[in-house]
Amino acid sequence: MADNQQARPLLDIRNLSVRFAMPADHIDAVQEVSLHIDPGERVALVGESGSGKSVTAMSILGLLPYPRASHPGGSIRFEGEELLGAGEGVLRRVRGDRIGMIFQEPMMSLNPLHTIEKQICETLILHKGLKDHDARQRALQLLQQVRIRDPERQLKSWPHQLSGGQRQRVMIAMALANEPRLLIADEPTTAVDVTTQAQILALLDELCRKLDMALLLITHDLGVVRKTADRVYVMQGGMIVESGSTIRIFETPAQAYTQMLIEAEPKARRIITQKSDSPLLEAQQLGVWFGVRRGILRRIVDHVKAVDGISLALHPGRTVGVVGESGSGKTTLALALLRLAKSHGTITFREERIDGLRHNALKGLRRQMQIVFQDPYGSLSPRMSVGDIIAEGLGAHGIAKGQDQESRVIEALTEVGLEPDARLRYPHEFSGGQRQRIALARALILKPALIVLDEPTSALDRAVQSQMIDLLLRLQETHGLTYLFISHDLRVVRALADEIIVMRSGRVVEQGEADRVFSAPENEYTRSLIKAAMDFEVWNDAALNQ
């Protein structure tokens, strides 16, 4: 009997099916999926966007939108207990305690009305019965574990005050709070840079071994899978098409689809564009400082220098890539350039100073300077149709109305590779890659000269990333667009950028032509970033082996 108990999987999913009811029909998102995870084992579930990975994971904890979602068949047993169809009391006891989950989009999972401290402490008080003081000390310890800088200050922060990488670390801290037997990690490293990614994966590996914790890793990044997982399940179209040990899957994949996933890496495809005599946008000694207030009177006693004395130039038709760790100031720099964050220093656009312009004077410039945000789910209104979202800018600038407006929306959708009928649907009905295309169409419809792209590919699988790179390059060539491309993924940056700016703690540590920076980096920090990226992917660049 003891032998049977020991041989039993920690998690055993058999013939699981998931069906979503639609107004006129239904969608079978998952079809007879079977997988198991043993105690302490690390298993990866991989596949393209829409393959059913996250739906399978959400089924384990009963987090699908019932009754719209249903299970025509299957079984989910955790430690021998059936979870599929279990009552809310059973699921509440399991969620966050015996099974922890790191969600893909932290901004959608963290409560914007509560501080980080309250959200981490809540699960500790609920499941562990800790008192407020003890819960706070444990929360502080967790933030230190996931390497968040200045954890005392970040405990008091609100989710919107953190960078994407910092929010992801908070989610990891919350999931690990009660030392679960199984951790489900849904794309846990998509929003973080390569050095942070390595730290997080090392942390998860350490905790899995220390706590004898099993890991179900859902990801599109096969570099992460290769370094983390013991076994791999490959999903396509809602079904498991291949499974096996990580070594076997990577060395001798049996399915053409698996081989395609392994080979789907961004490749450099850009055509080098020469610099024009005058830049489109230029900044000199740009700074963004946030005051640190303390005491009863909340006086400013110090400053956080998110951007500190940066100078740069964006030339027409070229792409400048901005790279650096999470919290290095990349997004703050972009917001300052677009006059969406208060700054000091000079900013010129088409040789005219814009840093001193007030809101009304800036309105005309907004049409020429657009931004595509990192999280399309958060930046696209769930209450508006796609057509209304894309057309919103036209209405704000009084450019088009009626039939003319609709024809422009259709044109923008077609340009980004979406069907005209997409304008009648809502953002939640699309995959992550499709939502990012919608966000791009919203920017393109105003025919801007400059588009800031803030981590536009971070949440996309490699195949969709390659499609997005092709799309961005084609649009740049067609419209002569200038891009400021922010990313932590050096493989994507290398495929797109003409120039590179490397940021650390609000400062530029290196900048120059992309080929030079990648082949002969001058700064030790730049070399460490490139080396960290190489640890996940073998790059054919012998000059980097210094």
Side-chain angles (χ1 to χ4, degrees):
M1 185 71 177
D3 291 338
N4 290 337
Q5 183 76 9
Q6 188 174 1
R8 186 178 66 189
L10 179 70
L11 177 71
D12 191 12
I13 300 177
R14 297 191 181 184
N15 302 318
L16 177 69
S17 295
V18 180
R19 176 172 292 171
F20 287 94
M22 304 300 286
D25 202 354
H26 65 265
I27 295 175
D28 290 316
V30 173
Q31 302 173 54
E32 297 190 348
V33 162
S34 295
L35 63 86
H36 73 274
I37 302 174
D38 293 328
E41 188 181 27
R42 294 165 297 178
V43 172
L45 187 58
V46 304
E48 294 178 280
S49 298
S51 61
K53 308 185 301 294
S54 294
V55 172
T56 300
M58 301 280 266
S59 298
I60 297 169
L61 292 174
L63 296 176
L64 292 177
Y66 303 104
R68 184 177 168 228
S70 62
H71 298 285
S75 169
I76 302 174
R77 288 188 171 273
F78 180 72
E79 296 182 320
E81 183 177 21
E82 181 63 59
L83 298 184
L84 195 64
E88 191 62 30
V90 172
L91 293 174
R92 192 180 295 118
R93 177 165 41 85
V94 171
R95 292 172 186 154
D97 187 18
R98 291 156 62 196
I99 302 178
M101 185 159 185
I102 304 167
F103 294 94
Q104 181 175 358
E105 295 174 331
M107 200 58 185
M108 297 298 294
S109 306
L110 295 172
N111 191 327
L113 302 178
H114 293 162
T115 62
I116 299 305
E117 178 179 346
K118 183 170 183 179
Q119 296 188 61
I120 298 177
C121 289
E122 184 179 29
T123 185
L124 293 166
I125 293 169
L126 178 65
H127 289 289
K128 296 295 186 185
L130 297 185
K131 300 298 183 183
D132 289 349
H133 174 74
D134 294 334
R136 188 184 189 281
Q137 290 303 114
R138 174 62 175 151
L140 186 61
Q141 182 185 40
L142 286 164
L143 291 189
Q144 291 168 340
Q145 268 191 319
V146 297
R147 316 293 200 272
I148 282 189
R149 295 175 188 169
D150 196 358
E152 281 276 5
R153 183 170 66 87
Q154 301 298 9
L155 270 181
K156 299 181 177 65
S157 298
W158 306 85
H160 72 274
Q161 294 176 309
L162 304 182
S163 70
Q166 289 171 324
R167 287 194 290 265
Q168 194 66 289
R169 290 180 188 229
V170 169
M171 286 297 303
I172 293 170
M174 290 174 64
L176 295 175
N178 294 306
E179 300 182 351
R181 293 293 315 283
L182 170 65
L183 177 65
I184 302 173
D186 190 355
E187 303 282 7
T189 60
T190 55
V192 297
D193 55 83
V194 287
T195 53
T196 303
Q197 185 181 71
Q199 293 169 4
I200 287 174
L201 293 176
L203 174 65
L204 291 176
D205 180 66
E206 176 190 337
L207 290 167
C208 283
R209 296 179 190 280
K210 179 181 176 182
L211 304 174
D212 193 28
M213 179 176 69
L215 175 68
L216 176 58
L217 176 68
I218 299 167
T219 184
H220 61 259
D221 192 330
L222 296 189
V224 172
V225 172
R226 193 194 293 263
K227 291 185 93 53
T228 306
D230 302 311
R231 288 190 300 113
V232 180
Y233 290 91
V234 182
M235 285 194 75
Q236 181 186 22
M239 295 182 286
I240 301 290
V241 296
E242 185 167 2
S243 64
S245 71
T246 303
I247 294 173
R248 204 278 298 164
I249 289 290
F250 277 92
E251 292 186 355
T252 57
Q255 297 293 322
Y257 177 73
T258 307
Q259 184 68 38
M260 184 275 291
L261 289 179
I262 294 171
E263 295 176 351
E265 291 294 327
K267 304 291 192 301
R269 305 180 181 89
R270 70 187 191 283
I271 299 171
I272 302 298
T273 305
Q274 296 302 315
K275 289 184 180 179
S276 61
D277 293 335
S278 58
L280 176 69
L281 184 143
E282 188 172 15
Q284 294 290 335
Q285 294 299 307
L286 192 66
V288 180
W289 295 7
F290 298 107
V292 177
R293 298 179 183 272
R294 290 201 181 103
I296 297 174
L297 299 178
R298 307 299 293 164
R299 290 193 174 122
I300 294 177
V301 297
D302 199 357
H303 289 88
V304 174
K305 298 179 180 180
V307 174
D308 190 16
I310 290 180
S311 298
L312 59 84
L314 307 179
H315 290 264
R318 286 170 65 88
T319 300
V320 173
V322 184
V323 302
E325 295 177 328
S326 300
S328 61
K330 304 186 299 293
T331 298
T332 305
L333 170 64
L335 295 176
L337 291 172
L338 297 180
R339 295 296 318 280
L340 295 173
K342 189 176 180 181
S343 63
H344 57 265
T346 63
I347 306 171
T348 59
F349 182 76
R350 288 181 167 157
E351 301 183 342
E352 292 188 13
R353 286 277 298 269
I354 65 171
D355 50 274
L357 296 181
R358 295 187 178 276
H359 176 74
N360 290 337
L362 282 170
K363 184 177 179 181
L365 282 173
R366 297 289 182 221
R367 181 179 174 183
Q368 294 296 312
M369 306 160 66
Q370 289 291 297
I371 184 168
V372 175
F373 292 98
Q374 178 178 355
D375 177 14
Y377 209 91
S379 63
L380 302 177
S381 173
R383 295 181 176 86
M384 296 172 67
S385 70
V386 167
D388 289 339
I389 288 169
I390 296 173
E392 190 175 20
L394 296 177
H397 290 278
I399 297 171
K401 295 181 180 180
Q403 188 61 41
D404 183 25
Q405 188 177 93
E406 186 170 20
S407 65
R408 293 194 186 206
V409 169
I410 292 172
E411 180 185 358
L413 284 168
T414 304
E415 271 206 298
V416 299
L418 293 175
E419 295 294 325
D421 285 351
R423 72 191 191 281
L424 306 175
R425 296 159 64 189
Y426 288 81
H428 72 273
E429 299 179 67
F430 295 88
S431 68
Q434 290 171 322
R435 285 197 292 266
Q436 203 60 283
R437 288 173 185 259
I438 292 166
L440 186 57
R442 177 174 61 180
L444 279 174
I445 200 168
L446 294 174
K447 303 190 182 304
L450 168 67
I451 298 182
V452 173
L453 300 155
D454 188 1
E455 300 277 13
T457 63
S458 64
L460 309 179
D461 60 69
R462 288 298 182 198
V464 179
Q465 277 188 357
S466 294
Q467 295 168 12
M468 199 63 155
I469 290 168
D470 287 338
L471 173 62
L472 290 170
L473 289 171
R474 177 173 59 78
L475 292 171
Q476 185 173 46
E477 186 178 357
T478 302
H479 300 290
L481 293 167
T482 302
Y483 293 145
L484 181 70
F485 188 87
I486 298 168
S487 182
H488 63 260
D489 192 330
L490 297 187
R491 291 166 291 190
V492 175
V493 172
R494 196 183 201 198
L496 276 169
D498 300 294
E499 301 171 59
I500 301 290
I501 293 174
V502 183
M503 290 187 66
R504 186 181 192 185
S505 300
R507 290 177 173 270
V508 171
V509 297
E510 185 162 355
Q511 64 187 114
E513 293 294 313
D515 290 338
R516 198 277 303 162
V517 172
F518 277 108
S519 62
E522 297 172 354
N523 185 272
E524 180 60 35
Y525 176 69
T526 308
R527 286 195 287 269
S528 71
L529 286 179
I530 294 174
K531 183 180 183 301
M534 288 173 65
D535 285 341
F536 284 93
E537 185 66 30
V538 177
W539 289 13
N540 298 319
D541 207 332
L544 290 173
N545 297 321
Q546 302 178 19

